[in-house]
Amino acid sequence: MAMGRTPENNSPPSRGLSKEAKNDYVEAVQDRISTLTSVPNSLVIFTDGSRRRVQDHRRTGAGYVAYTLGREVRSGQWGMGRRAEVYDAEMLALAGAAMFAADYVRSHAGISSIIFFSDNQAVSSITNTTNHPAQYMSILFRT
């Protein structure tokens, strides 16, 4: 695999990779996801937020999907309207998924590992306790 960030250290590859190196990276990520979603006692959650134009209006939304033993166990999605930013959506997806995970673990005592996959910078501030945009979602994530 090319130098740069790898699935093992939870970071994306560096820019400027060849097409072959990118394909190798994608294949490695897919293999890692396949392995993690089939590990007993693990809950694997993917989150995302987005904003796009629909009929000349901005629409922002958030969502997550959770797997255990290779099977989808839950998904959630929220429309956030015209004024929300992508950052808000990413934070909501993380907070909503964390709330689901906490409930799920309480009712499924065998789960000992929760793994989040997220493609955004909101992850770096989700546990931030100082004032910042979408601070309420950080509070929800931590509770």
Side-chain angles (χ1 to χ4, degrees), residues 49-51 58-62 80-92 133-134:
S50 66
R51 185 171 75 183
R58 290 185 344 183
R59 298 287 186 230
T60 307
M80 299 179 65
R82 300 180 300 164
R83 296 178 189 245
E85 297 293 331
V86 173
Y87 179 83
D88 300 315
E90 300 285 6
M91 292 288 281
L92 177 59

Side-chain angles (χ1 to χ4, degrees), residues 47-60:
T47 68
D48 200 15
S50 66
R51 185 171 75 183
R52 61 187 174 138
R53 287 207 171 275
V54 177
Q55 297 178 351
D56 224 20
H57 297 287
R58 290 185 344 183
R59 298 287 186 230
T60 307

Side-chain angles (χ1 to χ4, degrees), residues 45-111:
I45 302 172
F46 300 87
T47 68
D48 200 15
S50 66
R51 185 171 75 183
R52 61 187 174 138
R53 287 207 171 275
V54 177
Q55 297 178 351
D56 224 20
H57 297 287
R58 290 185 344 183
R59 298 287 186 230
T60 307
Y64 72 91
V65 61
Y67 294 88
T68 189
L69 293 174
R71 178 177 64 88
E72 181 180 324
V73 293
R74 180 79 178 265
S75 64
Q77 61 186 9
W78 302 272
M80 299 179 65
R82 300 180 300 164
R83 296 178 189 245
E85 297 293 331
V86 173
Y87 179 83
D88 300 315
E90 300 285 6
M91 292 288 281
L92 177 59
L94 286 165
M99 292 173 65
F100 156 73
D103 287 343
Y104 191 83
V105 168
R106 279 191 281 278
S107 63
H108 295 80
I111 299 294

